[in-house]
């Protein structure tokens, strides 16, 4: 939720249904155990939760999701609830350009090609399953070797007055001008 982005629509729906408070970004304010106040059966994680001004980063989502899973497992098994959620900052990694990235983890600061290799390893390490990892390595190898990318983003002009966007999504032949 960094950069002024708004929370997903599910946050607003959850707030309406439970009476939960939201922060300025629209995220649900949660208790230290990631539950909605007054609703101990509902746990909120990732980009939808707001706790201690934590940023909307993948690492926060992964750690809060793992914590929520442990909490549910403990409840099902009749064990004592785990301690309140505590985020552990493991560092940052950012892709800069082709073959270049920056990585900061504790005293370790890497950049350039070495940072990129570490960035690749980090992303592969968090993928689940051999097929996912192999697919990512093959896709990235082709993209790196050929300078081509299969993923593309297309934007269209804002058509605020046109409620039917199907024409904007699928361009076709232009209609002939009206006859005089």
């Amino acid at each position: 939720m960094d950069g002024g982005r708004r929370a997903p629509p599910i946050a607003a729906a959850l707030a309406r249904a439970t009476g939960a408070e939201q922060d300025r970004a629209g995220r649900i304010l949660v208790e230290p155990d990631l539950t909605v106040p007054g609703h101990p059966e509902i746990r909120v994680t990732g980009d939808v939760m707001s706790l201690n001004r934590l940023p909307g980063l993948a690492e926060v989502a992964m750690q809060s999701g793992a914590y929520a899973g442990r909490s549910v497992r403990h409840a099902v098994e009749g064990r004592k609830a785990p301690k309140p959620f505590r985020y552990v900052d493991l560092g940052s990694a950012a892709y800069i350009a082709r073959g270049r990235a920056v990585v900061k983890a504790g005293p370790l600061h890497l950049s350039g090609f070495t940072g990129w290799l570490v960035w690749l390893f980090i992303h592969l390490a968090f993928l689940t399953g051999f097929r996912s990892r192999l697919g990512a390595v093959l896709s990235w190898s082709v993209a790196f070797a050929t300078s081509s990318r299969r993923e593309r983003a297309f934007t269209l002009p804002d058509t605020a007055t046109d409620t039917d966007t199907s024409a904007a999504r699928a361009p076709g032949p232009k209609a002939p001008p009206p006859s005089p």
Side-chain angles (χ1 to χ4, degrees):
M1 300 287 71
D2 290 341
R5 291 185 356 212
R6 300 292 298 167
I10 187 99
L14 180 60
R16 279 192 306 275
T18 63
E21 288 185 60
Q22 293 179 275
D23 67 6
R24 287 181 36 200
R27 300 181 298 175
I28 302 292
L29 296 172
V30 297
E31 299 288 347
D33 64 352
L34 306 184
T35 59
V36 174
H39 294 275
E41 73 283 5
I42 301 174
R43 288 171 178 79
V44 181
T45 64
D47 285 355
V48 180
M49 74 163 200
S50 177
L51 176 69
N52 302 333
R53 301 179 55 92
L54 289 172
L57 300 173
E59 187 58 35
V60 174
M62 291 189 309
Q63 288 183 31
S64 64
Y67 174 88
R70 279 191 307 278
S71 296
V72 170
R73 186 178 69 233
H74 284 202
V76 168
E77 294 173 352
R79 295 192 299 172
K80 182 181 164 192
K83 294 178 183 177
F85 175 71
R86 189 174 68 94
Y87 172 68
V88 178
D89 185 0
L90 300 175
S92 300
Y95 176 85
I96 303 299
R98 182 182 170 84
R100 305 230 185 278
V102 293
V103 175
K104 179 182 176 276
L108 180 68
H109 294 252
L110 300 170
S111 62
F113 186 72
T114 307
W116 181 73
L117 288 174
V118 172
W119 180 89
L120 284 174
F121 174 78
I122 290 168
H123 284 77
L124 287 174
F126 284 103
L127 289 175
T128 57
F130 175 76
R131 289 181 64 187
S132 295
R133 289 184 180 122
L134 179 62
V137 167
L138 292 174
S139 175
W140 292 350
S141 298
V142 168
F144 190 77
T146 63
S147 297
S148 67
R149 298 181 69 176
R150 292 183 305 148
E151 300 82 12
R152 297 283 184 230
F154 294 94
T155 60
L156 299 171
D158 186 15
T159 56
T161 57
D162 184 10
T163 57
D164 179 22
T165 59
S166 61
R169 277 187 264 122
K174 291 185 178 182
S179 303

